[in-house]
Amino acid sequence: MELAERQAGADKALVLTIVSGATMLALMIFTVPLTTLAPTADALAAGPGAQAWILSGMPLGAAAGLLGAGALGDNHGRRLVFLWGLAIMFAASLAGALAPEGLTLILSRVIQGVGSAAVLACGLGLLGQVFAETHERIRATAIWAAGLGAGVASGPIFASALTMAGGWRAAYVGTAVLAVALLALGRRRLPDTEASPSGRVDWLGSLLLVGGLACLMSALTELRIGWARPLPLLLGAAGVALLAGFVVVEKRHRNPILDLSLFRHADFVGATVAAFASGAGILALMTLVPTLLQRFMGTGALAAAFVLLGWSLTSVVTALSARWLPAGLTPRAMMIGGLVACAAAQLMLFGPEPDSSALRFLPGLLLAGAANGILNAALGRQAVASVPASRTAMGSGANNTARYLGSAIGITLGAVLIAHGEEVDGVAGLVTGWDQAVVLSAGFSLLGALVVAVARD
């Protein structure tokens, strides 16, 4: 019996390692352009609009694919969809490495996001199924949350090092190698999971969601040139119409990718809004930090990646340590406190001076990392706990959809503000755009905290 228990524990540990490793890889893929954007843009002749898409393409693909991936996981088995996600990540990373021009790379980034969506939605669902005991689940989701931070921490360094060794394409080859290695290990060691078929998959809802989000993101990117033009207005209107159609389809479909009745529950609303605010707030702003360091302060790509460790590495430590917080501290309280602390940290990055050192950002980055780690741990727990057991993949998918949608919107708006300022007034305008992005992102964090505070059953 003791041997069997040890074997079961080892199997669980391996599942946790594979899922957390794949989660870490998804975030590494997210961060690849942070320190490789300049050489990539030079090689592919990508202008400011294309650069914004290279940054936001992966989170857009993830946001568009997460709900569908969650539904597929519930209907066809989380293990199968998780493995398909790794296969897609491998293929899209390889396509990115071979991209001859900007459009191909952007499409590859979007598809990388779709593959990551399957991994993120079904990975957390797998943990919810394998770790049934409450104390085990809390520990497992804390490690999973640490994987998010570890991916963001290691991704820029990984990409910078490979770029220095073999050019920007080497970073995409590296992520492809990691994806295929995890795929091979997962095929051998991940346990079979039960499917809960409940009818046809909601393909129409998935397409409407993808189209609606793509139109809205295109409209936001076009704002760089000016909003009072027909194209951004038409794209925005089309996005709203497609998303309205998505809501109608979800209400009528027997097996929707998002059960809208979940929004009747305050816990689900709070977790979803907090995830969106996390993406549009701290995650989006931290994504833009290397851009400021390189363009304004002349910091090298690898040095900028190490500066960002002040945020990302700290978030790993606090996410792992969150399980030792007082038992009476609820996930809701952790989300509110985490978002408020994130907003304070974001505002500490306001107003860099021309003679500022990169160390000037360190206090804000450390506070941001501490707050974000606790927030990630709380979101991981609440995403699973706020939905029925049979819908854990949907709950995880909805939570991560909100996070990645928020980050795609926040990154795009921030990149547009910075690019517009730089075009109008050079380096001084770049700083003005950065300060505007800081205030906007902090506003997202505070608004999220407010909604979570008032959302009660």
Side-chain angles (χ1 to χ4, degrees):
M1 177 65 73
E2 184 177 345
L3 180 61
E5 289 178 355
R6 285 203 302 268
Q7 183 61 47
D11 290 342
K12 285 184 176 182
L14 190 53
V15 170
L16 180 57
T17 299
I18 295 169
V19 171
S20 298
T23 300
M24 179 176 170
L25 176 59
L27 270 294
M28 289 174 68
I29 287 173
F30 174 85
T31 62
V32 162
L34 270 59
T35 50
T36 64
L37 186 60
T40 303
D42 290 342
L44 301 181
Q51 291 177 45
W53 269 106
I54 291 171
L55 284 171
S56 61
M58 185 273 179
L60 173 62
L66 275 160
L67 288 175
L72 285 170
D74 287 333
N75 277 271
H76 299 287
R78 291 160 194 149
R79 177 184 182 274
L80 178 63
V81 177
F82 180 88
L83 293 176
W84 267 107
L86 284 170
I88 292 170
M89 289 164 70
F90 162 71
S93 295
L94 200 56
L98 300 173
E101 32 73 35
L103 179 59
T104 302
L105 180 60
I106 290 168
L107 292 175
S108 299
R109 291 282 297 163
V110 173
I111 297 171
Q112 280 182 320
V114 173
S116 298
V119 165
L120 291 168
C122 295
L124 195 53
L126 273 169
L127 294 185
Q129 183 170 319
V130 172
F131 295 90
E133 299 294 330
T134 301
H135 71 280
E136 284 188 329
R137 182 176 292 179
I138 290 174
R139 175 179 173 274
T141 53
I143 293 173
W144 174 87
L148 294 172
V152 176
S154 61
I157 297 173
F158 173 84
S160 297
L162 288 180
T163 299
M164 291 173 63
W168 67 269
R169 297 180 189 274
Y172 290 87
V173 173
T175 57
V177 170
L178 293 176
V180 77
L182 284 166
L183 174 61
L185 185 60
R187 286 188 63 189
R188 292 177 56 196
R189 303 309 297 267
L190 285 179
D192 289 330
T193 55
E194 294 182 2
S196 302
S198 55
R200 294 182 297 110
V201 174
D202 181 14
W203 295 112
L204 178 58
S206 299
L207 291 174
L208 288 170
L209 180 63
V210 171
L213 295 180
C215 286
L216 286 182
M217 291 300 300
S218 299
L220 291 175
T221 303
E222 286 294 321
L223 288 178
R224 180 182 60 84
I225 303 174
W227 66 271
R229 298 180 301 117
L231 183 57
L233 294 176
L234 288 173
L235 287 169
V240 171
L242 289 170
L243 292 178
F246 168 75
V247 172
V248 172
V249 168
E250 297 312 283
K251 286 182 176 180
R252 296 180 178 179
H253 203 282
R254 293 183 179 180
N255 185 36
I257 58 173
L258 178 60
D259 184 355
L260 298 180
S261 66
L262 292 173
F263 286 98
R264 298 172 187 167
H265 304 287
D267 282 349
F268 180 80
V269 172
T272 304
V273 171
F276 179 88
S278 170
I282 193 67
L283 184 56
L285 188 65
M286 292 301 104
T287 300
L288 297 170
V289 165
T291 298
L292 180 74
L293 292 176
Q294 293 176 72
R295 292 186 181 177
F296 180 59
M297 297 182 177
T299 307
L302 190 57
F306 275 103
V307 171
L308 199 60
L309 283 178
W311 165 63
S312 53
L313 191 57
T314 305
S315 71
V316 176
V317 175
T318 52
L320 285 171
S321 304
R323 64 181 185 271
W324 290 307
L325 290 172
L329 191 61
T330 64
R332 179 172 171 274
M334 292 167 64
M335 289 188 294
I336 295 172
L339 286 168
V340 171
C342 281
Q346 288 162 255
L347 292 174
M348 291 171 67
L349 305 181
F350 184 90
E353 299 293 337
D355 57 350
S356 295
S357 162
L359 295 178
R360 179 246 190 251
F361 292 100
L362 194 56
L365 293 174
L366 291 173
L367 176 58
N372 194 57
I374 293 173
L375 180 59
N376 281 340
L379 288 172
R381 288 165 56 182
Q382 201 72 346
V384 174
S386 61
V387 296
S390 62
R391 288 301 190 191
T392 55
M394 179 182 287
S396 174
N399 194 269
N400 282 294
T401 293
R403 187 200 306 266
Y404 277 99
L405 175 59
S407 67
I409 291 174
I411 290 168
T412 300
L413 289 174
V416 166
L417 289 171
I418 292 172
H420 179 71
E422 190 173 19
E423 286 179 358
V424 171
D425 198 19
V427 174
L430 184 151
V431 177
T432 300
W434 166 261
D435 288 342
Q436 293 170 344
V438 167
V439 173
L440 179 67
S441 65
F444 278 123
S445 296
L446 290 173
L447 183 60
L450 178 63
V451 173
V452 175
V454 302
R456 297 185 179 183
D457 285 323

